[in-house]
Amino acid sequence: MPAAANTAIARHRIAVLAFDRISPFHLAVPCAVFGHEQGPGPHTAAEPQFDLRVCAAEPGLLRTTAGFAVQPAYGLEALKTAQTVIVPSWRDPAEAAPPALLKALRAAHQRGAQLVGLCLGAYLLAQAGLLDGRRATTHWAYAQDFAERFPAIRVEPDVLYIDEGDVLSSAGTAAGIDACLHLLRSQYGVAAANRVARRLVVPPQRQGGQAQYIEQAVPVTARDSALAFVLDDLRATLNQPHSLDSVAARALMSRRSFSRHFRQLTGGTLGDWLLRERLALAQRLLEQEEPRSIEEVAALAGFGSAVSLRHHFGRAFGLAPTAWRRSFSAG
């Protein structure tokens, strides 16, 4: 998405595709994140503004999978001026999209729009040839079919979303929320995405590389509840060094038992979790109105040195901390 220096003035144009037999949930996800006032709760004049248009891929009433119909006010012509085009989950992976629709998607991409395929929406981007030679994902249940039908695409079935810059694809259902919040975060910063996440009552950030699902349900135990308190304590002390041994001891567990329960609770390792939390804290510190030095941000976020912060920040976001500050700071 193009950089926006003044988010209070810019109205980013977003087109959300709708078609017959669409899932109302998948259609509603981008509307909830980017739609009018982005949901309930207090709003400020400094929040990003969007010109969101739901666009019909075919004329007439569009049936949904929930037994009611919708009739968007716009057609495919809205894709001609959209900066971002979002394709919700396609109705049937085995069905070829209408040629006019694929042509409109290619034209939008060629003039510089960012295209997003949520869940099975990745099939339409693939049919349009926009994912060839790129990494992409889709719902895990269709990942093998997707890979077999589109061998030119590097399919990663175990992630929530993949951002390739001008094209983005996401896994199934709720991962569409994660992908849309990621778009909002990358365009307008952590604070803007967190405000919308709070209104939607969802986690503000799940990294794209996080696993789509846990194959076997894990019951919540007393130890898992105790771990939640440990995580809260770690978030409050990210500036301090934490090791697997010290955190396991705090949780009154052995290393092995702690690692197993931690993975069940969070889906990853303690090291991965700490890095994500420290990066998120660094983002928030860099966006504050009162600027701190990079050395201060590194110390407060627990990276130890500015060199370490720059290394991890660049790997995670493709930007230096100073560049992030210039793009997203409140000042």
Side-chain angles (χ1 to χ4, degrees):
M1 300 175 77
N6 191 338
T7 59
I9 297 175
R11 289 181 63 83
H12 192 89
R13 295 185 299 276
I14 299 178
V16 180
L17 196 66
F19 39 81
D20 195 42
R21 306 198 318 274
I22 193 171
S23 160
F25 176 86
H26 288 95
L27 177 61
V29 164
C31 297
V33 175
F34 302 108
H36 179 63
E37 294 186 344
Q38 294 85 56
H43 300 270
T44 68
E47 292 188 39
Q49 302 294 311
F50 301 99
D51 179 2
L52 184 141
R53 300 183 178 188
V54 177
C55 310
E58 47 209 315
L61 283 174
L62 305 179
R63 296 168 295 169
T64 73
T65 57
F68 60 88
V70 295
Q71 188 167 19
Y74 302 94
L76 290 178
E77 72 280 353
L79 273 63
K80 296 178 180 179
T81 58
Q83 295 166 275
T84 300
V85 177
I86 300 178
V87 184
S89 188
W90 182 232
R91 59 194 174 207
D92 184 355
E95 179 184 346
L101 172 54
L102 297 180
K103 181 180 179 181
L105 293 176
R106 293 190 195 99
H109 182 259
Q110 288 170 1
R111 64 169 180 76
Q114 183 182 38
L115 269 69
V116 181
L118 301 180
C119 192
L120 301 184
Y123 274 81
L124 293 197
L125 301 189
Q127 289 182 30
L130 304 179
L131 295 176
D132 289 353
R134 299 171 179 263
R135 299 179 304 127
T137 192
T138 189
H139 193 289
W140 62 267
Y142 293 89
Q144 183 175 348
D145 173 74
F146 189 76
E148 291 173 353
R149 291 184 56 189
F150 306 105
I153 300 172
R154 301 194 300 276
V155 181
E156 297 186 12
D158 297 325
V159 298
L160 294 176
Y161 54 85
I162 293 178
D163 186 349
E164 288 280 85
D166 56 345
V167 290
L168 185 148
S169 55
S170 83
T173 316
I177 300 176
D178 297 307
C180 288
L181 288 174
H182 166 76
L183 291 176
L184 183 59
R185 187 183 311 110
S186 62
Q187 174 72 5
Y188 295 100
V190 173
N194 286 356
R195 283 194 295 268
V196 173
R198 283 195 293 271
R199 293 188 191 121
L200 298 179
V201 197
V202 297
Q205 181 174 10
R206 291 200 296 171
Q207 295 290 342
Q210 185 171 327
Q212 286 193 29
Y213 72 108
I214 298 174
E215 187 168 348
Q216 184 174 1
V218 179
V220 176
T221 67
R223 285 196 167 186
D224 293 332
S225 298
L227 274 183
F229 288 105
V230 172
L231 297 190
D232 289 340
D233 185 51
L234 291 176
R235 289 190 182 96
T237 57
L238 289 172
N239 62 319
Q240 300 176 14
H242 297 291
S243 67
L244 179 58
D245 287 327
S246 67
V247 178
R250 189 179 308 181
L252 303 177
M253 299 183 193
S254 67
R255 282 171 56 102
R256 182 175 180 180
S257 177
F258 174 84
S259 296
R260 176 167 54 84
H261 280 270
F262 191 88
R263 182 175 291 278
Q264 290 174 346
L265 185 64
T266 68
T269 67
L270 174 65
D272 291 340
W273 184 89
L274 282 171
L275 178 59
R276 289 197 299 269
E277 292 293 323
R278 284 172 168 150
L279 285 169
L281 176 57
Q283 288 175 313
R284 295 194 295 272
L285 292 171
L286 289 167
E287 293 175 15
Q288 289 179 348
E289 187 170 353
E290 294 297 327
R292 301 176 185 268
S293 70
I294 299 302
E295 289 74 15
E296 285 181 293
V297 172
L300 290 170
F303 286 98
S305 69
V307 172
S308 178
L309 171 62
R310 292 188 183 99
H311 169 73
H312 290 292
F313 206 92
R315 287 190 61 185
F317 306 117
L319 287 174
T322 51
W324 186 275
R325 168 179 284 157
R326 285 195 299 269
S327 298
F328 300 125
S329 67

Coordinates of all heavy atoms in Angstrom, one line a residue, residues 1-5 12 83-84 112-114 186-188:
M1 N 0.8 -1.2 0.0 CA 0.0 0.0 0.0 C 0.9 1.2 0.0 O 1.9 1.3 0.6 CB -0.9 0.0 1.2 CG -1.8 -1.2 1.3 SD -2.8 -1.3 2.8 CE -4.0 -0.1 2.5
P2 N 0.5 2.3 -0.7 CA 1.4 3.5 -0.8 C 1.5 4.2 0.6 O 0.5 4.1 1.4 CB 0.6 4.4 -1.8 CG -0.8 3.9 -1.8 CD -0.7 2.4 -1.5
A3 N 2.6 4.8 0.8 CA 2.8 5.5 2.1 C 1.8 6.7 2.2 O 1.5 7.3 1.3 CB 4.2 6.0 2.2
A4 N 1.4 6.9 3.5 CA 0.5 8.0 3.7 C 1.1 8.9 4.8 O 1.1 8.4 6.0 CB -0.9 7.5 4.1
A5 N 1.5 10.1 4.5 CA 2.1 10.9 5.5 C 1.1 11.6 6.4 O 1.2 11.7 7.6 CB 3.0 12.0 4.9
H12 N -8.0 6.6 1.7 CA -7.5 5.5 0.9 C -8.7 4.8 0.2 O -9.6 4.4 0.9 CB -6.7 4.5 1.8 CG -6.0 3.5 1.1 ND1 -4.7 3.7 0.7 CD2 -6.3 2.3 0.7 CE1 -4.2 2.6 0.1 NE2 -5.2 1.7 0.0
Q83 N -7.1 1.9 -4.7 CA -5.7 1.7 -4.4 C -5.5 0.3 -3.8 O -4.4 -0.2 -3.9 CB -5.3 2.8 -3.3 CG -5.3 4.2 -3.9 CD -5.2 5.2 -2.8 OE1 -6.2 5.6 -2.2 NE2 -4.0 5.7 -2.5
T84 N -6.5 -0.2 -3.2 CA -6.5 -1.6 -2.7 C -7.7 -2.3 -3.2 O -8.8 -1.8 -3.0 CB -6.4 -1.6 -1.2 OG1 -5.2 -1.0 -0.8 CG2 -6.4 -3.1 -0.7
G112 N -1.0 -0.4 -10.5 CA -0.4 -0.1 -9.2 C -1.2 -0.4 -8.0 O -0.7 -0.2 -6.9
A113 N -2.4 -0.9 -8.1 CA -3.2 -1.2 -6.9 C -2.7 -2.5 -6.2 O -2.1 -3.4 -6.9 CB -4.7 -1.4 -7.3
Q114 N -2.9 -2.5 -4.9 CA -2.5 -3.7 -4.2 C -3.7 -4.6 -4.2 O -4.8 -4.2 -3.9 CB -2.1 -3.3 -2.7 CG -1.7 -4.6 -1.9 CD -1.4 -4.2 -0.5 OE1 -2.1 -3.4 0.1 NE2 -0.4 -4.8 0.1
S186 N 0.5 -1.8 8.5 CA 1.6 -1.4 7.6 C 1.4 -0.1 6.9 O 2.3 0.6 6.6 CB 1.7 -2.5 6.5 OG 0.6 -2.6 5.7
Q187 N 0.1 0.4 6.8 CA -0.2 1.7 6.2 C -0.2 2.8 7.2 O 0.4 3.9 6.9 CB -1.5 1.6 5.5 CG -2.0 2.9 4.9 CD -1.2 3.4 3.7 OE1 -0.4 2.6 3.2 NE2 -1.5 4.6 3.2
Y188 N -0.8 2.6 8.4 CA -1.0 3.7 9.3 C -0.4 3.4 10.7 O -0.5 4.3 11.6 CB -2.5 3.9 9.5 CG -3.1 4.4 8.2 CD1 -3.8 3.5 7.4 CD2 -3.0 5.7 7.8 CE1 -4.4 4.0 6.2 CE2 -3.6 6.2 6.6 CZ -4.3 5.3 5.8 OH -4.8 5.7 4.6

